[in-house]
Structures are given as structure tokens and as C-alpha cells.
Amino acid sequence: MSASILVVEDYDPDYEAAARGFRRIGVTYPLVRCRDGEEALTFVQTEKPALVFLDLNLPGIDGLEVLRTMKSDPDLKTVPVVVWSSNGREEKIAEAYAIGANSYLNKRMSPADLFEDLKVIVHYWLRTVRLPGLAA
Amino acid sequence: MVDLKTSSGEQACAREPIHIPGSIQPHGYLVAVDTDTLTVDQLSRNWGELVSGDLSACLGRPLGLIFGEHVAARLIGNMEEKNRIASALREQVCGREFDIVQHRSGGSWIVELEPIEAGAEIDSVALIQRQGEAIARLQEAAVTSELCEEVARQMSALSGYDRVMVYRFHPDWHGEVIAECLRDDMEPFLGLHYPASDIPEQARRLYTRNWQRLIVTADYEPVPLVPALNPRTSQPLDLTNSALRSVSPVHCAYLRNMGVSGSMSVSLLCEGRLWGLIACHHRTPRRLPFAVRLNCEMIGRVASALLAAIEKTDAHRARLSAKAAREGFLDRLAEHLDFAQALTEKAPEFLELLSANGAVLQVNGVRRTMGEPLPTPVVDACFEWLHRQESEDLVFTDQLGVEVPAAASHATRVSGLLAVPLTETGADWLVWFRPEHAQTVHWAGNPNKDLSDLSLPIQPRKSFALWTQHVTGRSAPWTDFDRLAAQEIRAAVNASIRKRTERLLQINSELEQKNVDLNSFAFIASHDLREPLRGIRNSIEFFVEDHGGAIPEEGHERLALAARTAERMHDMIEGLLHYTRVGRAELSARPVEMNKVLKRAMENAQSQWSGQNVRVEIAPDLPTARCNPVMMAEVFTNLLTNAVKYNRREEKTVEIFARQGPPGKVVFCVRDNGIGIPPRHLKDIFTIFRRLHPRDAFGGGVGVGLAIVKAVIERHGGAVEVESVPNEGTTFNLILES
């Protein structure tokens, strides 16, 4: 099975930024986009992604709910989730980690900054650490 | 000066037993008959004029012996009828014609004979007609004064006395002549006051039981009864209702001193109490036939009946109209939210409700005056006095000068005070004032007669010379009715106060809510605005990435500007967001050593200063202040950053020290040697986003730093002050709780 990177993001400009970023860095894993929590939860039942980028500000099911659902599912909880949010509040960050987020990333204003962040993330999660379900 | 109410002299007067004088006036004859045996118990000694021989021969004998069988039979017939009002016959006895009047007194029938004067024929029909007219006139009277004037007139016409007065008793039993009908050549007594002792209690009691008294002449020799005591009871005969009763020699002397010979008085009763008298005086002896006397008595009885009704109707009408006025006023008051203002606007109407000439409303330390203005010290003294009363209820006086000495000199303007407490503070009052009800009382003779020498038999006063008494320093008294009105007004005012307080509380809470909402809004708005900004920024970036080659140089520059503008907007939003967070965050203030806070602030600020010559001097022993250390760190960071930013010198210096502030506060000062702030801009520097320099000058910046400083300090309940000399430097003084 091919491992995919799931990006849960409803806001097009943000998704585009991520997609471009990934492309420039040279990520080869296919990107799957879900626009809301329900879509995402349906997708992960059919296919277990290697890595998830999760926006918290989603229509319908709240992003933290999606996180909670994934992290309480014995099968899915091993999937690393990078929470990607414009909400920088301390409480939200703590809450996300408490539910089981693996990383919390602020959405940066400047695309250049975003690109730098993505480079680090990709380098760390996809090129440095070992992920379950991904061939070395 | 002798107190008339309690003097023993007055009591001596009152003790004289005028109802059992044991004698009669000489113009008639009296027989006392035992009700059971119908025999003669007592006779007036002047029977000797009618029958020859020894009077004792008549005692104990049947009625018929004296009166003859025919008259005796008629008399007995009347007795059996058990009439309460004296019944009268006209008969011949011993060869002369008499009006014979009989009435019951205890176990005796008292039969009194009055000789009919020759030629004094009474036309009964005319008399009844006249009486009917008199009564009709009385009934037309609408108010008490009209009634009394008509009574005097009708009585004068009916009785023919030289002077007829209506004499009214005051609550302390002194009397006042309130209506009078007299001959032209006589001196009027209208408006004169007579001391209570002139008509002592004994007399007043008798006048309440007996409607009419007649004295033919004040100069007579009393005719004793034979025997003096009733043979059956061994008690004197009760002559209360006797027409011939001999009156007190004191009273006769009194009349003689006044120059009066014949007199008659008829009682005026109101609801069973002696209200006054119809007093008739004649300069010469005067006798009224029984029928005329009866007419006069009737006037008194009818007037009495009308009195009760008139006074009740008057009072009732007055109460109703006052109540209506009050309710109307209070209803209109209730419509105004600021009732104190409404009250002041409608002051004349308000004062009228209690016949006041001034009023003061003091609520929550605010004092409003209506009507007659009074000097502030006097009003203050009144409130002080009220406070000392410690009363939860109404307080009033009609002699303000006595209670509040400061008001004494203003007695003409304010002699009476009535106050109701408002709310529960004890300092809030509604006060009404009344002016002096200047009274000049004209006494017929000095009311303070000396009754101290009891060794002398009681003497009536000899002097009726006019004695004027000025009653000053008193206002019109506050009646039950006034006090009731005041209580009603108090209730309405209190209700208004409560409503206002409730409304204020409600408005307050609405404002608080709006504030919270506004803060939430600001937070949410700024939070959500960042997303589209990212969108704009990204769009520009992607456009350049994808089509950059096809764009000329200026195009790139313009796009770069657009990008920078979007970034700037983002910074502003971040700043706004941060600013609103200050308002929403928990304060969690605690005592904090400011040096620790400054260490943190320096760490934050220093990162911006690389490459610059900056010297910061922080006093090593800064005091402790109650504050939130994180927030204060940001405050100092901002101030330090600004101090260095807005500075053109080679060596930029910042001094931070503290000094003593007002009690309970401490002041931290941040002084720089920067560019300074022109005086006219000092007030603007704390306004969010407000720039004093071009956007990009001095390293740019959003314009939120000082706004946050002010918001934080004020959140702590403190204050920020600025001192500055352009081109020299600026000092920020932060006042916090120590």
C-alpha cells in the first residue's frame, strides 16, 4: 500500500501553500486532501495515512474532535498528527498535546516562513524519524 | 404667672356645685313633687306670695291642695306620659296665669311656674313660622362660619337680646367669639378670646346635659327652697334642668362686672361634646316666655345637628380634594426616571400639597431646594438635628426655632418643619417648611388671672380690658391629615428611588455585558481576520512564483509593496489581538519584586538592540508592587524598546528607578534620552495605532506598544503619566499599588 500524507484543510490558500511547499521540497508521497473532519474520518477508515496535517479550524466537526477520534482508535493512534493552526493560544496548544497531537505548528503569515517550517517538518518527520507504516 | 389648667383656684371654681344651689331665681315659683306619692316635698319660699299662711302646711300634701284639682289633674296626666322634654301648660293658679313647666329630676317631679306678663301674648303660629324660616336659613349654610353667623342673626331676631354671640371652645377650653349680632351702639366682642376659667368645668358639664340657661337679671336675691334638703333623700334637689335654677354668685358677679344684666345661653353640641355656646347678653333685665325659650333652644339643637354634618363634609371634601391632588401629582412623578428633577420642576404644586413654603430633598448627598430659599447653615443645622433624632419615621415640629436655634432668627420664613426619612441611610430626607403663622390673639382681659389666694371666696375677674398676645415662632400646626399626606409622598418617592437604582443597576450590567461582547468581538474579529490575510499574501507569492518572469521590474516592486502591506495589516491585527487579550485576561495580581520583572523585560528587549550603543541603568533596590509579572514584563519591554527606538543619540540611555507615590501606591519611572514628545501630542501617544511619525520612520512599528502599556497599567488599577522635553528625553511614570 502506498503511504499518503493526509492534509485536512478547508481553506484553499492554506492548502495551496502547503501543497506548493511540499512540491518545492520534493516530497514524493501522494497528498490527499480532505476539506472537513467527516471526510477525513471516513478516509482514514479506508486508508491509513503515514502522516496527517490537521487544521483545527474546520467546518462541522472541530479539528480537535478529529484528533481525539483518531487518537482513541487503537488502529489509528499510531499515525503521527501534526496540528497546523492559526490559533496560537496557549490553552489550545496544551489541549492538543493532551489529546495526543504529535506536533503543533503555527500557520505562518509569510509564505517564506511557512516554507522554512515545512522544510523542517518534512525533514524531521519524513527524513529523520522512522514512521510506522512507512518503508525506511 | 399661674398655669390656668392646673391651678387650684380653677379647681375650686370647678368644684362649686352649681347644679344643687338649693335656691331659685325670684321671677318664678318651684314645687318639688314626689313621683310615687304625688305629694309636695319642697317649695320655693316665695310661695308665700301666692298662698297665705304657713308654707309648712303645704308640705307633704297632695298636689291638688296647691294647684287645684283641675291643674293637678293635668300635671299628673303629663307625668304619666313620661315625657323627657319638659312639658308645659298654661293655667291659672291662685288667681294668676302661669306658664307651668314640669320635668323629672331623680325621684321628684319639678314643677316651675312662670307668671305670664300682661300683654305679652304669643302668636303660636307666627312663632312656628318664624322658627321654620330660621331653620331654613341655617340649612343653607355651607360652611361653619356661615352657619354661626346665621345662628347669631336668627337668635338675635328671635330673642331680642342686645348682643348675641356664638362662642366656640378651643381644644384647651378657652373660648373665642366667632360670630356676633349686636346693637350698633355697642362695642363688638367679635374675635376676642376668653380664658378657659371663665366657664369652668362644672358649668361646661352642666351645659352639655342641659340645653338652655336663663338669667333674668344678674342682680337678684336667690329664693331658697323649703326645706333645703329633700325630705325623702336628705339630699339637695338636682336643679340641672330647672329653668328657674339659681346660678353661681360668682357668675352673677362676672356678668355684673361685664355690664350685663339679663342673659341666656344655649348649648352647641357636636357629636355629644360641647362645641360652643350661643351667648345672649342684655343691658337690662330680660325675661323670655317659655315658648320663645323653646324656639331659641330649637335653634341651638338644629345648629348642633347641622354643625356635625357641616364640619364632617368640610373635612371630608378637603381630604378628598387634597388626596386627589396628591395622587395626581405622584402619578405624574412616577413617570419620570429622574424624579428629583421632576420634583424641582413642579415645585409649586409639590409645596401646595402640604401648604408648605419651602422644601428640601436630600438624597445620596445631593441636596435640592424648592420654594423659599434658606441660608445653607440653617438647612445644615436642620439636617443635623434630624440626624440626631435617630428616627425611622416622620419628624415634625411647629416651633422650629425651639428645636433648631439656628432657625430662630428666620422664624418668619420658617417656623414649622415636617420631615420624612428616605431609604435607610439616615442621611436622606424629604423636608417641608412652613412659615410663621403669626397670630395676634386678643384676650378680653388678661388670661393669666391670679387665683392663688384661696382664703377669699372665688371672685370673678374684674378686668375685661383688651389684652393682646402675639403668638410668634409658630407655624400652622401639622395635622394628622398632613402627616398622612407626607407618608404617602414618602412611599412614592422611595419607590421612585428604588426604581431608579434598579434601572441604573440594569444599565450598568448591560454596559458590562456590552463591554464583554465588544472585547469578544475584537478578539474574534482579529483572530478570524488573519486567515484572509494569509490568503492575500499567499496569492501574491504564488503569482510571483508562477509568472514572475513575465513581470517587469516596477511590477515586482508593486507586488512587493502589496505583500508588505498585507504583512503590515497582519501585524496590526496581531497587535489588536494582543491588546484585547490584556483586557480579557485574568489579572492574578500578587506582590512582585520589580527587579525580577525587569530582568525578564531586558532579556526580551535586548534581542532588538544588536549593533547599538545602549546603556540601561536599573536601580538595584526597586520596591515590590502588586501586579501580574508577565504583563508587567511586557510593559517594560515595550517601554525599553521605545526608548531605544525613538532615539537619535550616539549613546542611548535608559534609567529605571522608583519613587514614593500617594499613600498605598508606588511609582516606577522609565527615563530615556530620546527624541522626546511635543506637549501637544502627549495625550495622543497612548492611542492605539496612532503614529506621530511616518510609517517607516524609527524602524516602523504598528503603534500598539504604548496602548498596551496603558491598558495593562489601568487594568491594575493604576495610572500612567508622561513628562517630556522635545530633543531631550521622555520619562514615563507608572503608578501601581504597592
Side-chain angles (χ1 to χ4, degrees):
Chain A
M1 75 180 171
S2 70
S4 56
I5 297 176
L6 172 62
V7 178
V8 188
E9 173 60 66
D10 72 311
Y11 190 47
D12 290 341
D14 284 343
Y15 177 75
E16 197 178 339
R20 281 177 177 251
F22 282 128
R23 197 163 47 241
R24 269 176 68 182
I25 295 167
V27 170
T28 51
Y29 298 107
L31 278 184
V32 175
R33 181 189 182 180
C34 288
R35 287 166 194 275
D36 63 50
E38 212 174 303
E39 234 182 272
L41 289 175
T42 311
F43 174 75
V44 297
Q45 295 302 323
T46 60
E47 197 184 307
K48 199 162 132 175
L51 182 63
V52 177
F53 275 79
L54 174 64
D55 175 33
L56 290 188
N57 190 13
L58 295 171
I61 308 177
D62 177 53
L64 283 177
E65 267 313 299
V66 177
L67 179 65
R68 202 191 309 272
T69 310
M70 286 188 66
K71 289 300 176 186
S72 32
D73 184 322
D75 203 32
L76 294 170
K77 70 197 252 190
T78 54
V79 177
V81 177
V82 174
V83 167
W84 192 39
S85 177
S86 56
N87 189 329
R89 299 202 23 214
E90 289 288 331
E91 314 90 69
K92 266 296 201 274
I93 299 174
E95 201 184 345
Y97 279 110
I99 298 174
N102 299 82
S103 298
Y104 190 108
L105 189 63
N106 253 343
K107 280 184 186 173
R108 306 296 291 266
M109 171 61 184
S110 141
D113 291 338
L114 173 64
F115 183 63
E116 287 304 314
D117 281 354
L118 273 180
K119 276 211 295 208
V120 170
I121 293 284
V122 166
H123 188 68
Y124 178 82
W125 281 107
L126 297 177
R127 300 196 175 140
T128 312
V129 305
R130 300 286 302 278
L131 286 179
L134 274 188
Chain B
M1 202 184 297
V2 171
D3 179 354
L4 294 175
K5 286 206 185 57
T6 61
S7 76
S8 42
E10 158 90 346
Q11 285 171 1
C13 264
R15 272 199 296 271
E16 195 195 330
I18 57 176
H19 64 302
I20 44 172
S23 51
I24 60 167
Q25 297 175 50
H27 65 276
Y29 307 89
L30 184 147
V31 181
V33 179
D34 182 289
T35 45
D36 296 327
T37 62
L38 297 181
T39 53
V40 173
D41 279 343
Q42 290 166 283
L43 289 168
S44 58
R45 193 180 291 147
N46 56 0
W47 266 106
E49 294 161 20
L50 294 177
V51 298
S52 53
D54 194 4
L55 274 183
S56 48
C58 304
L59 293 173
R61 308 304 278 280
L63 266 183
L65 194 65
I66 304 174
F67 288 103
E69 290 307 322
H70 166 67
V71 176
R74 286 195 73 190
L75 288 173
I76 292 166
N78 278 343
M79 289 174 198
E80 278 159 12
E81 282 217 14
K82 297 188 179 22
N83 284 337
R84 282 210 307 148
I85 297 179
S87 40
L89 308 171
R90 181 163 284 208
E91 280 294 351
Q92 270 214 9
V93 175
C94 304
R96 287 165 64 178
E97 221 176 338
F98 291 100
D99 274 327
I100 306 180
V101 183
Q102 65 191 101
H103 74 276
R104 240 191 118 122
S105 171
S108 307
W109 276 100
I110 296 182
V111 181
E112 295 172 292
L113 288 79
E114 292 171 56
I116 294 172
E117 275 161 8
E121 284 300 312
I122 308 286
D123 182 349
S124 311
V125 174
L127 208 58
I128 290 174
Q129 251 187 325
R130 188 119 64 88
Q131 184 177 79
E133 274 168 27
I135 291 175
R137 283 283 145 71
L138 293 179
Q139 283 176 320
E140 282 166 12
V143 293
T144 311
S145 53
E146 278 177 30
L147 179 64
C148 293
E149 274 156 26
E150 199 57 41
V151 163
R153 258 198 294 275
Q154 294 305 323
M155 188 64 91
S156 178
L158 211 51
S159 65
Y161 277 87
D162 287 336
R163 182 198 299 274
V164 173
M165 296 175 284
V166 175
Y167 185 87
R168 177 180 188 165
F169 289 109
H170 281 251
D172 63 349
W173 291 113
H174 90 261
E176 186 189 345
V177 179
I178 61 174
E180 189 177 43
C181 197
L182 76 175
R183 286 215 196 296
D184 292 335
D185 59 339
M186 295 176 79
E187 195 190 317
F189 288 172
L190 184 62
L192 287 182
H193 292 243
Y194 290 76
S197 54
D198 277 10
I199 302 181
E201 203 210 324
Q202 272 287 67
R204 295 198 301 265
R205 224 178 310 135
L206 191 141
Y207 297 172
T208 315
R209 291 164 56 197
N210 166 19
W211 281 89
Q212 187 188 50
R213 286 73 46 191
L214 180 80
I215 301 171
V216 170
T217 168
D219 202 0
Y220 71 88
E221 193 62 42
V223 173
L225 295 180
V226 175
L229 298 179
N230 187 287
R232 271 179 308 106
T233 65
S234 306
Q235 295 293 320
L237 193 62
D238 185 343
L239 295 173
T240 300
N241 288 308
S242 158
L244 297 173
R245 174 178 63 91
S246 176
V247 300
S248 154
V250 178
H251 185 56
C252 288
Y254 177 91
L255 289 171
R256 283 197 303 271
N257 288 345
M258 247 206 287
V260 172
S261 179
S263 72
M264 177 187 72
S265 70
V266 175
S267 302
L268 286 169
L269 266 54
C270 186
E271 293 179 340
R273 274 181 59 255
L274 190 63
W275 185 91
L277 297 173
I278 310 172
C280 307
H281 290 175
H282 212 69
R283 286 174 291 197
T284 54
R286 185 165 182 80
R287 184 153 81 87
L288 291 184
F290 174 72
V292 178
R293 282 210 315 273
L294 210 56
N295 257 12
C296 294
E297 187 175 313
M298 206 50 48
I299 301 266
R301 285 182 185 262
V302 170
S304 296
L306 292 173
L307 254 181
I310 275 189
E311 294 213 312
K312 259 207 190 97
T313 314
D314 269 355
H316 188 61
R317 209 179 294 140
R319 263 199 290 280
L320 274 184
S321 80
K323 194 162 152 70
R326 197 164 61 241
E327 278 171 5
F329 182 79
L330 292 175
D331 280 343
R332 284 198 301 280
L333 201 69
E335 291 163 15
H336 289 257
L337 200 59
D338 188 355
F339 75 94
Q341 186 60 28
L343 213 59
T344 323
E345 280 168 16
K346 298 189 199 307
E349 210 181 321
F350 178 66
L351 293 175
E352 188 57 40
L353 293 179
L354 258 90
S355 310
N357 68 332
V360 175
L361 172 69
Q362 178 160 296
V363 177
N364 292 332
V366 177
R367 194 186 281 177
R368 281 178 197 262
T369 313
M370 290 161 261
E372 183 77 37
L374 281 175
T376 309
V378 175
V379 181
D380 286 340
C382 288
F383 274 103
E384 229 175 279
W385 175 73
L386 282 173
H387 195 65
R388 268 183 279 129
Q389 298 311 301
E390 291 188 354
S391 169
E392 288 181 355
D393 205 353
L394 175 6
V395 174
F396 66 98
T397 170
D398 62 356
Q399 278 191 296
L400 189 59
V402 168
E403 309 284 352
V404 180
S409 48
H410 299 269
T412 23
R413 282 192 291 163
V414 53
S415 278
L417 176 150
L418 182 140
V420 284
L422 299 172
T423 69
E424 286 108 33
T425 60
D428 298 340
W429 293 85
L430 178 52
V431 182
W432 288 271
F433 292 110
R434 270 189 183 162
E436 185 179 60
H437 185 57
Q439 277 178 307
T440 303
V441 180
H442 294 294
W443 294 93
N446 189 326
N448 306 308
K449 77 181 185 195
D450 189 4
L451 293 170
S452 55
D453 192 351
L454 291 179
S455 62
L456 298 174
I458 302 158
Q459 291 298 318
R461 57 197 175 85
K462 292 205 172 57
S463 168
F464 290 87
L466 189 63
W467 201 83
T468 307
Q469 182 186 36
H470 291 290
V471 183
T472 55
R474 270 187 190 268
S475 70
W478 302 99
T479 62
D480 284 336
F481 185 45
D482 287 331
R483 299 205 287 278
L484 187 69
Q487 295 282 29
E488 273 183 33
I489 294 176
R490 170 200 193 183
V493 169
N494 268 345
S496 274
I497 293 179
R498 256 200 305 281
K499 230 174 40 172
R500 182 145 194 253
T501 309
E502 274 164 26
R503 180 88 189 106
L504 282 177
L505 280 175
Q506 189 191 14
I507 290 177
N508 241 14
S509 110
E510 277 172 13
L511 277 177
E512 264 177 34
Q513 185 58 39
K514 280 203 165 46
N515 225 14
V516 167
D517 288 345
L518 205 60
N519 251 348
S520 296
F521 169 75
F523 175 79
I524 292 167
S526 52
H527 184 266
D528 293 330
L529 286 173
R530 293 194 291 184
E531 194 177 76
L533 268 183
R534 267 203 315 281
I536 294 173
R537 188 72 189 79
N538 286 348
S539 278
I540 296 172
E541 185 74 17
F542 303 153
F543 178 72
V544 169
E545 266 179 28
D546 296 343
H547 309 282
I551 305 166
E553 190 60 34
E554 315 88 65
H556 278 273
E557 270 169 36
R558 190 160 298 286
L559 286 174
L561 178 64
R564 271 205 310 279
T565 308
E567 265 171 37
R568 179 173 176 74
M569 184 160 171
H570 182 257
D571 290 342
M572 287 173 84
I573 289 177
E574 288 279 321
L576 188 61
L577 200 60
H578 191 49
Y579 178 73
T580 60
R581 278 214 194 106
V582 168
R584 289 158 57 90
E586 279 283 321
L587 192 57
S588 310
R590 59 175 206 278
V592 174
E593 281 175 46
M594 215 44 81
N595 285 95
K596 288 207 179 110
V597 172
L598 273 159
K599 194 149 167 282
R600 181 104 170 255
M602 281 295 291
E603 280 164 19
N604 287 342
Q606 257 163 354
S607 54
Q608 314 265 343
W609 297 340
S610 56
Q612 301 197 54
N613 184 359
V614 180
R615 185 165 61 85
V616 181
E617 276 173 24
I618 304 175
D621 53 353
L622 289 174
T624 310
R626 273 191 78 80
C627 64
N628 177 315
V630 173
M631 285 174 154
M632 282 312 294
E634 180 168 354
V635 164
F636 282 111
T637 304
N638 286 357
L639 289 175
L640 284 166
T641 306
N642 277 6
V644 170
K645 224 162 107 168
Y646 296 96
N647 196 322
R648 288 200 204 93
R649 300 210 199 236
E650 258 296 313
E651 186 194 46
K652 305 178 209 278
T653 58
V654 188
E655 291 161 59
I656 302 183
F657 54 94
R659 58 159 216 266
Q660 187 60 262
K665 310 262 189 213
V666 63
V667 185
F668 296 96
C669 309
V670 180
R671 183 190 301 153
D672 65 46
N673 66 346
I675 60 171
I677 305 162
R680 67 184 181 282
H681 289 141
L682 278 176
K683 57 177 166 34
D684 290 336
I685 57 174
F686 295 105
T687 310
I688 192 167
F689 297 150
R690 181 89 169 83
R691 288 171 294 103
L692 296 183
H693 307 284
R695 240 173 233 97
D696 297 325
F698 298 104
V702 170
V704 144
L706 284 179
I708 286 181
V709 164
K710 182 161 184 261
V712 168
I713 299 293
E714 281 179 3
R715 189 90 210 290
H716 281 78
V720 191
E721 285 167 12
V722 195
E723 293 156 7
S724 182
V725 180
N727 296 319
E728 296 254 332
T730 307
T731 308
F732 284 89
N733 301 314
L734 312 172
I735 305 170
L736 290 172
E737 266 179 58
S738 58

